[in-house]
Structure formats: C-alpha cells, structure tokens
Amino acid sequence: AQSVTQLDSQVPVFEEAPVELRCNYSSSVSVYLFWYVQYPNQGLQLLLKYLSGSTLVKGINGFEAEFNKSQTSFHLRKPSVHISDTAEYFCAVGDSGGGADGLTFGKGTHLIIQP
Amino acid sequence: AAGVIQSPRHLIKEKRETATLKCYPIPRHDTVYWYQQGPGQDPQFLISFYEKMQSDKGSIPDRFSAQQFSDYHSELNMSSLELGDSALYFCASSRSGWGSNTEAFFGQGTRLTVV
C-alpha cells in the first residue's frame, strides 16, 4: 500500500521569495513520484516526476524537487515565486511496477502568493 | 498538440438519475484512468483500463461502471446518483502505463453536480 502526506494544507509566501512544499511518502516497493499543479477550475498539469537516476529533478515553471529515499521525501522547491504560481499543488506516488495502476495523491497544498 | 478531451465539461443531474461521462485520450495512448475529486479534496483513483481491459480498480462505487472502447475512448457510467457524487471527474491517458518514459496527461475534467 502507498500513501502520500503533504504536511502543509496552505503555504503563504511573498512574491519573489523562495518556497518549499513538503511531501513524504510511504510505499513497500520502489516508487515513481510526481508533482502536479492545479489552477482554479482546471485539470492537473504535471510539474515534474522522479522515475530513477538523479535525485534532483527539474520541472516546468522553474520548479525542482529532490528525492530523498532515506527520508522518504520529495519536497518541491522554487527559488523565486510569482503571482501566477498561486494554485493547488499535489504530490503523488505511483508503483514502479508500471502498468496502468492509479496514482495515490496527497491532500494538496494551496500555495498563496502575496504581493 | 492534442490533449485529453472530456465531455461534457459540466453536468447537472438529480438524485437517482444516471450520468455518462466520456473521455477521449490522446492519440496512440492505450491507457485511461478515471479519478474523482470532491470539493476541496485530493483526486481519488477510481478505475483504469489498458488496451480495452480493466487494469486496476480503486475506490469506485458499485453504482459506477466504466469501459474502454475499440477506439480507446472511455465512458464512466454512474447510476442512482447521490448528492455525494458531486465532484470533478478527471480522466487521464498514457501510453502503456506509468513506467519509464511514460507521462500521464489529465483532461480538464467534468464537473458533476447532483441536486
């Protein structure tokens, strides 16, 4: 069984400040890890993913995340946020066995950018 | 580039009615996933199909059924609708599961409101 914990339901940050959104996972097998962003009334857009290889993953819109196996974490970071980054961010875990298994999502973190 | 198309975008039904949601995957994608996202909730995996066969099943109620057709589009059928079924229903598609170089793309969702 897999689970994802996003420790913060809301993160307020001032514009141009750095941000970190935390994600911890648990799984009995090797995993794939994802971060999705959801803008109001929109679908889910993939920001980045970790499948294997380098533990530092770079995604779109200046975001990056680091896979830490010992701490079972996959925190998302951005060095300088913009008003347009205001959205809901979901961390998700998938079974590295591949196939068509569904992802398990965290509860989401609402990133609020303050001017 | 073509994306995942879901129809309708919005649907209002009364309790105990039935609803059918449609999902048209990206061309050459053979895997479809359905998710339910309640108000303020994280997306919950319902069911997935690979090559027209059910591949994985999540928290899908018995009142719901789904299938994938020969052209790879999928339909989610929901009967005896309840107020609690009001949610955003996402479809995602990928090519042969989540593995290695596979990315799943989400549609914009169908917002179902049961009154």
Side-chain angles (χ1 to χ4, degrees):
Chain A
Q2 300 167 124
S3 68
V4 176
T5 302
Q6 290 183 245
L7 298 165
D8 307 297
S9 59
Q10 272 192 140
V11 173
V13 182
F14 286 105
E15 195 173 13
E16 299 183 7
V19 69
E20 178 180 84
L21 306 184
R22 297 181 292 170
C23 172
N24 288 88
Y25 70 92
S26 67
S27 175
S28 56
V29 298
S30 297
V31 296
Y32 296 152
L33 292 160
F34 306 80
W35 275 100
Y36 284 89
V37 60
Q38 185 177 32
Y39 299 102
N41 299 312
Q42 297 292 314
L44 294 165
Q45 182 181 4
L46 181 68
L47 276 178
L48 48 80
K49 61 185 176 184
Y50 170 79
L51 303 178
S52 64
S54 173
T55 57
L56 183 62
V57 180
K58 293 190 183 298
I60 63 172
N61 301 343
F63 284 93
E64 64 179 33
E66 185 158 17
F67 170 60
N68 188 318
K69 188 174 182 179
S70 62
Q71 296 185 7
T72 60
S73 68
F74 190 55
H75 300 333
L76 180 71
R77 302 187 185 97
K78 186 170 182 177
S80 176
V81 296
H82 189 266
I83 287 283
S84 60
D85 292 323
T86 296
E88 193 80 17
Y89 291 79
F90 290 97
C91 180
V93 61
D95 188 336
S96 68
D101 300 329
L103 291 180
T104 299
F105 285 84
K107 295 294 182 187
T109 297
H110 189 196
L111 179 60
I112 302 167
I113 310 301
Q114 301 167 329
Chain B
V4 177
I5 306 296
Q6 290 188 246
S7 69
R9 289 293 309 278
H10 302 273
L11 187 60
I12 300 175
K13 289 285 186 179
E14 294 188 354
K15 284 194 302 183
R16 293 179 288 277
E17 283 193 317
T18 60
T20 297
L21 310 185
K22 298 184 179 182
C23 170
Y24 298 87
I26 291 172
R28 292 185 296 282
H29 280 194
D30 51 19
T31 307
V32 169
Y33 314 77
W34 285 98
Y35 287 83
Q36 177 192 57
Q37 185 180 27
Q41 301 295 313
D42 55 298
Q44 294 290 318
F45 171 65
L46 293 178
I47 195 167
S48 63
F49 292 87
Y50 168 64
E51 281 291 344
K52 294 153 278 186
M53 300 285 289
Q54 181 182 310
S55 177
D56 194 18
K57 197 171 181 180
S59 52
I60 184 168
D62 292 340
R63 299 177 289 108
F64 295 6
S65 64
Q67 57 181 325
Q68 185 179 31
F69 295 86
S70 58
D71 63 351
Y72 295 101
H73 94 273
S74 178
E75 294 183 4
L76 178 66
N77 299 294
M78 310 158 72
S79 63
S80 303
L81 287 169
E82 302 173 357
L83 295 178
D85 296 329
S86 295
L88 192 55
Y89 290 84
F90 286 113
C91 172
S93 76
S94 70
R95 189 163 182 183
S96 302
W98 300 107
S100 61
N101 295 316
T102 298
E103 176 181 338
F105 293 83
F106 282 79
Q108 298 275 38
T110 293
R111 184 168 296 283
L112 172 67
T113 303
V114 181
V115 298

